[in-house]
Amino acid sequence: MTSKSANGWVSDAASWSSGYDTTPTVASDAYPEYKSSGGVGVPGTFTFTSKVKDVVSFTYSFNGGPEATVAAGADGTASVDWTPDSDGGTDLMVSATTGSGIQLAPYDYFFTVN
């Protein structure tokens, strides 16, 4: 896009864009993001919250394992319980799916199990 002033001067070309973050929010008291906590056999609850309306479910996976899907409540949230069977760095990948079947961008939640 360019602009032209009354005296004929033309601006340099410029562009404009915007984006919208559709990744879900992930939270856990037992296993906070980027922290070392909990331990093998210590259960934790993970809460997923959508930033987008009309989300009906969340799909998640721990450490690249099998995916599981949990239904979202009317408030756009869901919770899952998970108990680690080994220590070390852990990746929790979560994405939301809308009522029209669109799977939104995933969020990678990382934490370390003591």
Side-chain angles (χ1 to χ4, degrees):
M1 153 177 9
T2 62
S3 63
K4 186 174 182 178
S5 66
N7 68 2
W9 179 82
V10 177
S11 71
D12 291 334
S15 63
W16 181 84
S17 66
S18 65
Y20 185 67
D21 181 10
T22 62
T23 61
T25 299
V26 180
S28 175
D29 289 338
Y31 294 100
E33 189 171 26
Y34 302 121
K35 305 272 188 207
S36 182
S37 59
V40 174
V42 178
T45 299
F46 296 83
T47 301
F48 311 145
T49 304
S50 176
K51 298 173 188 165
V52 177
K53 293 181 182 179
D54 190 37
V55 164
V56 296
S57 66
F58 294 93
T59 301
Y60 65 96
S61 173
F62 287 92
N63 292 325
E67 291 185 340
T69 300
V70 61
D75 61 354
T77 68
S79 292
V80 298
D81 295 323
W82 179 77
T83 303
D85 57 10
S86 63
D87 60 2
T90 304
D91 275 309
L92 168 57
M93 189 70 70
V94 183
S95 62
T97 301
T98 66
S100 57
I102 298 169
Q103 188 169 30
L104 303 174
Y107 186 77
D108 187 8
Y109 183 92
F110 182 80
F111 59 98
T112 301
V113 176
N114 287 329

